[in-house]
């Protein structure tokens, strides 16, 4: 799926999910590429449940979602590349289970999904609860490897920055990420916390 404008859905802008067999729930076949799209003003921007392993989501604008921008909700091991997306001005729920512009769910299974999160800007998203994270949320047993991302000014209902919430039982690596608060876990290398990226217009960085 490339070069589209997807807007105004009361459900999901883009759905990647299970195919139902006769007696079991199995991962959908094939590899999906979601690239160079504007995904605007939907309930969920991109919803993934049992999406094909190897899914690539890159170079998209995901903005104005009312539930979450990207939800990875898998009961099976899978791999997803989320790269170079602009994920801004989305809303999420008032509880931890419904929070985050990007939420990777593990569902309490020790072999949950793996997401490689590279060079994304996740900024100016809002949650609907006090103390509820608004940027990146990663559940236990979900694996997120992140590098070169900007998590900036993602705020709860009281306008408090809560850029990330990564469960202590979430494996993965983190390096060269920037956040405007101190919520990045103390693992990885060369992360910048409590740092303003100094955006210019439209989330560009100053030259």
């Amino acid at each position: 799926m490339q070069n589209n404008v997807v807007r105004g859905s009361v459900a999901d802008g883009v759905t990647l999910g299970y195919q139902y067999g006769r007696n079991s729930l199995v991962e959908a076949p094939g590899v999906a590429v979601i690239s160079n799209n504007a995904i605007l003003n939907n309930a969920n921007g991109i919803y993934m449940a049992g999406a094909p392993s190897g899914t690539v989501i890159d170079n998209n604008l995901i903005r104005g979602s009312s539930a979450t921008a990207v939800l990875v909700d898998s009961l099976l091991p899978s791999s997803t590349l989320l790269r170079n997306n602009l994920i801004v001005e989305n809303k999420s729920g008032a509880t931890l289970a419904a929070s985050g512009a990007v939420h990777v769910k593990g569902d309490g299974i020790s072999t949950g999904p793996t997401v490689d999160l590279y060079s994304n800007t996740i900024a100016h998203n809002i949650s609907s609860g006090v103390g509820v994270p608004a940027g990146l949320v990663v559940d236990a047993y979900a694996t997120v490897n992140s590098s070169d991302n900007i998590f900036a000014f993602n705020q709860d209902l009281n306008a408090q920055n809560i850029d990330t919430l990564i469960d202590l039982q979430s494996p993965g690596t983190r390096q060269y990420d920037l956040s405007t608060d101190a919520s990045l876990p103390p693992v990885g290398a060369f992360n910048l916390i409590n740092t303003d990226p100094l955006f210019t217009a439209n989330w560009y960085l100053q030259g």
Side-chain angles (χ1 to χ4, degrees):
M1 175 182 167
Q2 299 180 353
N3 304 313
N4 295 282
V5 176
V6 180
R7 67 191 311 162
S9 171
V10 297
D12 307 323
V14 178
T15 305
L16 298 169
Y18 291 120
Q19 72 171 28
Y20 288 87
R22 178 173 298 176
N23 296 311
S24 64
L25 202 57
V26 297
E27 189 179 279
V31 174
V33 177
I34 311 298
S35 181
N36 296 302
N37 301 286
I39 301 171
L40 310 171
N41 303 322
N42 304 287
N44 294 306
I46 299 175
Y47 176 70
M48 301 172 58
S53 198
T55 292
V56 176
I57 300 171
D58 70 345
N59 296 311
N60 299 285
L61 168 63
I62 307 173
R63 186 177 188 180
S65 308
S66 59
T68 195
V70 179
L71 178 60
V72 181
D73 186 7
S74 181
L75 292 171
L76 301 171
S78 62
S79 63
T80 299
L81 173 62
L82 195 65
R83 176 183 60 200
N84 200 35
N85 298 283
L86 182 59
I87 301 172
V88 293
E89 296 184 338
N90 300 281
K91 294 181 180 179
S92 57
T95 65
L96 180 59
S99 65
V102 176
H103 194 148
V104 183
K105 288 183 172 287
D107 294 324
I109 294 175
S110 60
T111 54
T114 296
V115 174
D116 293 325
L117 191 71
Y118 300 147
S119 301
N120 300 279
T121 296
I122 300 173
H124 291 103
N125 300 289
I126 300 172
S127 73
S128 301
V130 175
V132 176
L136 170 68
V137 177
V138 183
D139 292 354
Y141 305 116
T143 299
V144 170
N145 301 308
S146 67
S147 181
D148 297 288
N149 300 285
I150 295 175
F151 305 104
F153 309 111
N154 299 288
Q155 297 184 335
D156 73 355
L157 193 62
N158 280 348
Q160 174 188 359
N161 283 356
I162 309 179
D163 284 324
T164 65
L165 181 62
I166 300 173
D167 192 278
L168 294 177
Q169 295 190 70
S170 167
T173 60
R174 282 165 282 284
Q175 60 184 357
Y176 301 105
D177 290 327
L178 178 149
S179 69
T180 51
D181 67 0
S183 63
L184 280 173
V187 295
F190 308 108
N191 296 310
L192 294 174
I193 63 172
N194 293 318
T195 301
D196 189 333
L198 301 175
F199 290 130
T200 61
N202 298 318
W203 297 278
Y204 286 102
L205 300 178
Q206 294 186 11

